[in-house]
Amino acid sequence: MAAAGKADLLIKNARLIDGSGGPSVKGDLGVRGDRILAVGPGLQLEAAQTIDARGKALSPGFIDVHTHDDRAVLVDPLMKCKTSQGCTTVVTGNCGVSLAPLAIDRRPPAPMDLICAEPSGFYERFADYMMALDAEPPAVNVLAQVGHGTLRLGAMRSLERTASADEIKVMRGRLEESLDAGAVGMSTGLFYPPAAAATTDEVIAIGQALMKTAAMHSTHMRDEGEKVLDSLQETFTIGRGMRAPVVVSHHKCSGAAAHGRSVDTLALIDAARATQPVGLDAYPYVAGSTMLNSPRMLQSSKIIVTWSQTRPNFAGRDLDEVAKEMGTDRAGAVERLVPAGGIFFMMDEKDVQRILKYEHTMVGSDGLPHDLHPHPRLWGTFPRVLGHYVRDIGLFTLEEAVRKMTGLPAAQFGLTDRGRLRAGAYADLVLFDPETVADLATFEKPTTPSAGIERVYVNGRAVWQDGRATGTRSGRALRRQQLGTFGAPMR
Ligand code: ZN
Ligand code: CU
């Protein structure tokens, strides 16, 4: 493939994994400005800088489709937890929780406090949040959703009931305004207290705003345990009611009574996909993480405290040990630790593997960047899939793993110019060593950067290199108006 002109950067002799899932080829890739100039075997290109990438894999930058990085991208803009994994784009505003649009004068209730405990950290208008990102861009691209929990908190005096017609009108209006300002869609967290009283009809009524703009909807479903199949049905009903593509967030079967049920959930998703756009994501661990005072407590074999406002020194400790020291049980300990967060061991490895392997499953970290002792998924998700699940146990091919992290999410979120190695696309790239790539973040040492991620480029510029952040912040706040169709099928 010949290309005219000089490249800024030429990466030679790499194993090119293009994001489509198809077989990799050995070849070169040239970058000019923020775009891929040319890609293929034997490029004849003059370049200002040339890198020999023999033995290394070059792929599109990874897209973390499930994050709680809303505030992290502003207060920690180098975003090392993500760039060190090869991530170049993050989707924020998940699980019903977003920084905007919300005016609040007190500490927000859990789980809103997972992204921000300070009332002053929230943005009354979504446009202001987007402009804050424009003014101080992070190292990664950002796609932002509006949280249904955030809307409820801003529009309702009491969250323990379903919204009135007037409140729904207010929420829908704020959602419309946010979509106009560039939000990519709305997420729900019907599992959580601030939204648990919302009915299916309430969500659909607010989500009518999505229909007009062809935006998307993602959900932390009402139940991921014994009633997970009912929750999937509700999710599909909501998607049809809004006429919006839906994404089932961090799909799992939680608690021993639900173990093994992924056989049925995936069959149900398959059946639904025949008539409506449905996507899903998962993280590669048997433990989840959220606020500590969660119904998850009863479903978990083990719990680790990730932070506690009242007793910060207990971060990283086993909850049962903490309870013993306090001379009480789990519930008693939680009462003394809240507001607090925890890691919950509640899944079966077979379900995790079956869900990860499913053709339509994307990878999303669900990392919690403000936790004192976070779940290792925050720093380890993507290398863990490439190292542990691909190389060590052979769950699927490297090309398939990269597709789940790039081409598939790009198609799901309408990122028509990202997620693939092709001339003209944005140069979001990751160069890694398939032989050594591995997650090093553990439940004991959760903030250890991964091995084998050598160089990461965002919009043509290196953000991670030689084991550290370069200091470059070339990410962009991406607006819905710049994107293509959501939920587009790929393959
Ligand atoms: Zn969630
Ligand atoms: Cu989440």
Side-chain angles (χ1 to χ4, degrees), residues 265-395:
T265 62
L266 296 178
L268 197 60
I269 291 172
D270 244 2
R273 282 180 55 89
T275 57
Q276 69 185 102
V278 178
L280 70 160
D281 59 74
Y283 48 80
Y285 298 88
V286 293
S289 181
T290 185
M291 61 192 203
L292 190 58
N293 44 336
S294 159
R296 292 261 155 86
M297 209 160 63
L298 304 170
Q299 301 174 338
S300 302
S301 57
K302 174 186 164 83
I303 300 171
I304 300 171
V305 179
T306 54
W307 61 278
S308 160
Q309 198 195 26
T310 59
R311 293 180 173 72
N313 53 312
F314 283 125
R317 298 276 313 274
D318 186 303
L319 182 67
D320 290 330
E321 278 172 31
V322 171
K324 214 163 156 196
E325 257 173 59
M326 291 177 167
T328 178
D329 57 3
R330 275 185 184 178
V334 167
E335 222 168 274
R336 290 181 216 181
L337 292 171
V338 290
I343 293 169
F344 301 83
F345 289 79
M346 61 192 173
M347 288 171 248
D348 184 65
E349 177 66 25
K350 286 202 201 83
D351 288 317
V352 172
Q353 293 190 13
R354 192 177 292 122
I355 292 169
L356 274 177
K357 193 173 178 179
Y358 177 59
E359 183 184 352
H360 305 293
T361 305
M362 306 178 280
V363 178
S365 71
D366 202 7
L368 295 169
H370 307 292
D371 288 9
L372 218 50
H373 185 96
H375 186 306
R377 65 192 184 185
L378 175 66
W379 285 79
T381 290
F382 291 79
R384 181 167 170 79
V385 171
L386 301 172
H388 177 66
Y389 284 107
V390 170
R391 185 185 56 238
D392 298 350
I393 73 165
L395 190 61

Side-chain angles (χ1 to χ4, degrees), residues 66-68 94-95 192 220 249-250 366 368 377:
H66 190 103
T67 83
H68 295 283
N94 281 290
C95 301
Y192 289 113
H220 179 153
S249 294
H250 45 57
D366 202 7
L368 295 169
R377 65 192 184 185

Side-chain angles (χ1 to χ4, degrees), residues 74-116:
L74 291 168
V75 300
D76 181 24
L78 293 182
M79 289 300 291
K80 287 185 268 190
C81 56
K82 296 298 164 69
T83 58
S84 64
Q85 299 186 52
C87 293
T88 55
T89 298
V90 299
V91 180
T92 65
N94 281 290
C95 301
V97 179
S98 65
L99 268 195
L102 179 63
I104 188 171
D105 55 8
R106 58 191 190 283
R107 183 193 172 99
M112 308 292 157
D113 60 350
L114 294 179
I115 59 165
C116 186

